[in-house]
Amino acid sequence: MIAGFLLLALTLQVRGILDGEYLFCRTERGYHLSLEEYRQDTCARCYHYLPPFAFHDPESRLKYDESTGLLVEPLSNTSFEADPENATHPAYGTFQSDLFARKWIACCRAALDCCKDMLTHHYDDFRGNNGSALQCPRTWDGWQCWPDTPAGETAEGLCREHVYFMSDPPPCPKYASKQCLENGTWYVNEWNSEWTNYSSCSRIQGMRRLQYFHIITYAVSMLFLIPSLFIFVVYK
Ligand SMILES: *[C@@H]1O[C@H](CO)[C@@H](O)[C@H](O)[C@H]1NC(C)=O
Ligand SMILES: *[C@@H]1O[C@H](CO)[C@@H](O)[C@H](O)[C@H]1NC(C)=O
Ligand SMILES: *[C@@H]1O[C@H](CO)[C@@H](O)[C@H](O)[C@H]1NC(C)=O
Ligand SMILES: *[C@@H]1O[C@H](CO)[C@@H](O)[C@H](O)[C@H]1NC(C)=O
Ligand SMILES: *[C@@H]1O[C@H](CO)[C@@H](O)[C@H](O)[C@H]1NC(C)=O
């Protein structure tokens, strides 16, 4: 009888572990965290990933403590949960301008939405096509959210506004891409970190095209200017 209960309890426990992925949200380090741990850690990392020019003084910039997922004030060595909803949070004193505070808030909110998505969406089954169900797991990459993706495919996601540090978002939508390898793991870079390609989110390409346009226009107008100068000098 007691053994029966124990067995039942054990079975439920094991099922709980097997179902575990449904209760946790994945981050770019491959950890599955509970909603509360995830919320703090991803938000602290949103702060950590901001570029140096987002802060008015590198000395006072809060440090991210990887082992606790907290932000640490370097001068007083006190730790804080990353919480953008708290208007008196010390992080707000460190930004160069409101713009970066807004980027931080947007990133933390996007992370939270991502976790809620991960918890509520049904798992897609890609087995239909090819007998193999290998897939990369839905995840937060530090900036954006990615769904389950079949092995060997590259997922595309709309570049979110908070990834534009240098400029306003471009008028037409751009897409970041994340490669799911043949063995069902996300592409990792040379530092062994999962990596998303944000290069097409940048406006540099567009700007370069604009520069070429200007150079060509100048060249054409010079071409017409030289004969007219010649005519002017010769026939004046
Ligand atoms: C900061 O505080 C933590 C614990 O609160 C301690 O382990 C650490 O050594 C301290 N660091 C410095 C530089 O004082
Ligand atoms: C807001 O942050 C400050 C400093 O971190 C903390 O002392 C305070 O308790 C926080 N307030 C709330 C409502 O969490
Ligand atoms: C199935 O997999 C094979 C090789 O692994 C590939 O050549 C083929 O295109 C795949 N078919 C579909 C429908 O994905
Ligand atoms: C998946 O493939 C990549 C590249 O081929 C390799 O670096 C990685 O170690 C593989 N991962 C696993 C779990 O096999
Ligand atoms: C990133 O994406 C861009 C544009 O899609 C591409 O040209 C570039 O090769 C990609 N970089 C890597 C390292 O995959």
Side-chain angles (χ1 to χ4, degrees), residues 31-230:
Y31 298 161
H32 291 89
L33 305 175
S34 70
L35 179 61
E36 193 47 32
E37 290 169 320
Y38 169 99
R39 189 181 60 78
Q40 278 179 37
D41 189 55
T42 52
C43 189
R45 289 175 84 83
C46 281
Y47 183 89
H48 180 63
Y49 288 143
L50 284 167
F53 58 80
F55 302 94
H56 63 69
D57 175 13
E59 297 287 302
S60 65
R61 176 180 186 168
L62 307 181
K63 302 274 178 286
Y64 168 67
D65 182 342
E66 216 166 276
S67 58
T68 59
L70 298 173
L71 292 172
V72 183
E73 199 164 49
L75 301 175
S76 64
N77 192 27
T78 39
S79 298
F80 298 93
E81 280 180 19
D83 179 10
E85 311 300 333
N86 182 341
T88 64
H89 197 282
Y92 286 118
T94 64
F95 294 118
Q96 174 73 36
S97 72
D98 270 1
L99 175 74
F100 296 107
R102 286 201 300 275
K103 305 247 178 233
W104 180 50
I105 296 170
C107 180
C108 296
R109 286 188 183 155
L112 200 55
D113 288 346
C114 182
C115 185
K116 288 173 181 164
D117 262 11
M118 285 191 233
L119 297 176
T120 51
H121 278 204
H122 288 295
Y123 276 67
D124 295 322
D125 195 345
F126 299 114
R127 224 173 308 238
N129 285 334
N130 227 335
S132 134
L134 262 188
Q135 65 185 51
C136 293
R138 56 187 68 188
T139 192
W140 172 253
D141 75 355
W143 272 342
Q144 294 201 175
C145 203
W146 297 90
D148 299 334
T149 301
E153 284 190 12
T154 297
E156 292 206 323
L158 191 65
C159 304
R160 298 288 297 263
E161 196 181 326
H162 61 263
V163 310
Y164 295 99
F165 297 131
M166 310 277 280
S167 62
D168 291 329
C172 49
K174 305 263 181 177
Y175 294 86
S177 60
K178 194 165 182 65
Q179 195 189 354
C180 179
L181 301 174
E182 293 294 341
N183 59 12
T185 62
W186 292 112
Y187 168 81
V188 296
N189 66 10
E190 62 265 42
W191 294 290
N192 213 26
S193 307
E194 282 181 12
W195 185 82
T196 305
N197 190 345
Y198 280 101
S199 69
S200 45
C201 296
S202 93
R203 297 186 90 180
I204 290 168
Q205 275 178 340
M207 265 152 61
R208 204 167 286 153
R209 223 169 289 136
L210 202 63
Q211 271 170 5
Y212 285 140
F213 175 75
H214 283 315
I215 290 168
I216 290 167
T217 342
Y218 282 133
V220 170
S221 59
M222 285 304 277
L223 222 62
F224 284 105
L225 189 64
I226 290 164
S228 64
L229 272 178
F230 180 76

Side-chain angles (χ1 to χ4, degrees), residues 11-26 30-35 37 115 118-121 123 137-138:
T11 324
L12 289 177
Q13 182 94 43
V14 169
R15 286 212 34 203
I17 291 167
L18 289 179
D19 289 348
E21 275 189 299
Y22 295 81
L23 302 172
F24 297 98
C25 294
R26 189 180 188 281
Y31 298 161
H32 291 89
L33 305 175
S34 70
L35 179 61
E37 290 169 320
C115 185
M118 285 191 233
L119 297 176
T120 51
H121 278 204
Y123 276 67
R138 56 187 68 188

